Amino acid sequence: MNVFLSKLFPHPILTLALWGVWLLLNNTVGAGHIVLGLLLAILIPFLTSGFWPEKNRIQAPFTLLKYLGVVLWDILVANMAVAKLILGRNRDLRPGFFYVDLDIQTPIGISLLANTISLTPGTVSCDLTEDRSRLLVHALHIEDIPAAVKEIKERYEAPLKKIFTAC
């Protein structure tokens, strides 16, 4: 029975996320949308599971919730800081590129780290080295590169490394 369920639900968290997003986008919890959303949420991961090279498992779900809270808070704070920089004098800006040496190895973890950096206003992840060991980041205003790298590694990479493990 367990093998059957793992074949039917190859990515159970994705199934739940797709179902929730379907209901949110349709802005209803009518019976038809619940059933159709559930059907799509089961079929999409099932039909695309061959394209997922490795399975991942969430090792620390509470760390994931804490991580989401940190990211949302950082987005809010960064929005205020970027607005202040943009509305201020442009000659005070010090844009720059820097590399972050990666300790995280899972593709989903690297992808989420890069997306988190890009979601936070004022920073954009630009490139990943071929060996997936370094991530190039552009900052709208950077005063202390080592401090920025340390912050990214402590606030984002370390929790992601705890959260995702390859199966």
Side-chain angles (χ1 to χ4, degrees), residues 30-51:
H33 282 289
I34 290 173
V35 171
L36 181 60
L38 183 59
L39 182 65
L40 289 171
I42 292 171
L43 281 176
I44 290 171
F46 178 76
L47 294 174
T48 62
S49 65
F51 298 107

Side-chain angles (χ1 to χ4, degrees), residues 113-115 117-118 123-127 135-138:
L113 177 62
N115 284 302
I117 291 168
S118 294
T123 55
V124 176
S125 58
C126 302
D127 195 16
L135 184 65
L136 179 64
V137 177
H138 178 269

Side-chain angles (χ1 to χ4, degrees), residues 46-140:
F46 178 76
L47 294 174
T48 62
S49 65
F51 298 107
W52 298 62
E54 69 177 38
K55 304 253 187 243
N56 289 294
R57 188 169 62 111
I58 294 179
Q59 182 71 24
F62 293 112
T63 304
L64 176 61
L65 291 175
K66 182 180 173 190
Y67 175 77
L68 291 174
V70 166
V71 170
L72 290 174
W73 175 256
D74 286 352
I75 289 171
L76 180 69
V77 170
N79 270 308
M80 306 272 191
V82 168
K84 184 178 174 185
L85 287 169
I86 299 285
L87 295 174
R89 296 184 312 176
N90 283 342
R91 65 177 165 243
D92 292 339
L93 290 179
R94 291 187 213 140
F97 288 93
F98 59 93
Y99 278 101
V100 177
D101 291 326
L102 299 177
D103 296 325
I104 194 165
Q105 297 298 313
T106 61
I108 188 95
I110 293 170
S111 178
L112 283 173
L113 177 62
N115 284 302
T116 300
I117 291 168
S118 294
L119 280 172
T120 308
T123 55
V124 176
S125 58
C126 302
D127 195 16
L128 179 65
T129 58
E130 241 180 270
D131 63 354
R132 292 194 255 170
S133 66
R134 294 172 34 153
L135 184 65
L136 179 64
V137 177
H138 178 269
L140 177 66

